Amino acid sequence: MKVCNIIVMSKGGVGKSFTAWVLAQWAKDKNHDMYCADTDPGNPTFAGYQALNVEYIDIANDEMQINRSRFDDLIDNIAGHDGFSVIDTGSTTFFPLMSYISEARTLDALKNEGVRVILHVPIVGGSATKETMAAFAKVLESTDVEVVVWLNGKYGAVELNGKPITETQIYKKYETRVLGLVNVKTRAEDTFGEDFSTLLGNK
């Protein structure tokens, strides 16, 4: 079965590459035939994990719009792969990417090739919750595929106006398309946190 996981978010530093890293390691552990790609033009963190054989494809042109030829090559790679794909995207290309996906009906093309497409959206707590929720809404409104939400509480509780995101209007409207919520737990910074930072830093 072909499954393509695409990580999308308009804000940097919220855990996109971490999400890609976790998904790819899970697939590797399950012995799935993997295809991994990083399309972030500014900070291709995911491509740095050599053990995961991540291909770097810069899908942005000089104006930070989508280079259609390179993006279409990426879609061809995904469609032609009989296995599990993990695609990390950049925050700077989020809005043009969402627009192009909608305009070109890219996800429909993948589905027609027998690919199950799942979008993964990290939502961060604290002052950035509102911005990441707005991007979450954009993803849901621009597409019609399944979504997994990753709740990153590193910077505070993932809440909007004092309520969990599951109580928001946008979540309730599209709840049937949400496959699940992944809670990324906050650990003690002086023990687990230091070790984890070292792990990520060493790729």
Side-chain angles (χ1 to χ4, degrees), residues 19-157:
T19 300
W21 177 65
V22 170
L23 288 168
Q25 286 192 91
W26 177 85
K28 187 178 178 72
D29 185 62
K30 298 295 182 182
N31 294 316
H32 287 294
D33 184 15
M34 280 202 310
Y35 170 69
C36 296
D38 191 340
T39 70
D40 190 334
N43 188 25
T45 304
F46 187 42
Y49 294 96
Q50 294 184 6
L52 298 174
N53 297 317
V54 181
E55 181 179 10
Y56 178 60
I57 302 175
D58 185 354
I59 62 171
N61 60 25
D62 293 340
E63 288 76 38
M64 296 309 291
Q65 297 298 311
I66 300 304
N67 181 307
R68 298 182 176 215
S69 176
R70 278 179 277 180
F71 183 74
D72 289 346
D73 286 343
L74 170 65
I75 296 304
D76 287 343
N77 291 345
I78 295 168
H81 180 73
D82 292 321
F84 194 90
S85 301
V86 179
I87 314 300
D88 192 13
T89 65
S91 57
T92 54
T93 55
F94 173 80
F95 289 105
L97 177 62
M98 287 294 103
S99 295
Y100 183 61
I101 281 175
S102 177
E103 172 196 332
R105 304 187 66 83
T106 302
L107 303 186
D108 287 341
L110 285 174
K111 286 190 284 186
N112 290 338
E113 292 293 328
V115 181
R116 180 185 182 187
V117 180
I118 303 171
L119 298 180
H120 296 258
V121 184
I123 298 177
V124 71
S127 61
T129 302
K130 187 174 182 180
E131 181 180 346
T132 51
M133 279 297 293
F136 175 56
K138 179 71 173 176
V139 168
L140 291 168
E141 291 163 354
S142 302
T143 69
D144 62 356
V145 299
E146 299 166 307
V147 174
V148 173
V149 180
W150 293 65
L151 303 174
N152 183 349
K154 182 176 181 180
Y155 304 109

Side-chain angles (χ1 to χ4, degrees), residues 121-125 129-130 132-133 136 140 148-152 157-173 175 178 180-183:
V121 184
I123 298 177
V124 71
T129 302
K130 187 174 182 180
T132 51
M133 279 297 293
F136 175 56
L140 291 168
V148 173
V149 180
W150 293 65
L151 303 174
N152 183 349
V158 186
E159 298 176 344
L160 200 61
N161 301 321
K163 295 181 179 180
I165 68 154
T166 52
E167 296 299 315
T168 62
Q169 185 176 357
I170 190 70
Y171 184 91
K172 288 181 177 180
K173 182 178 179 180
E175 186 173 4
V178 178
L181 296 144
V182 180
N183 284 290

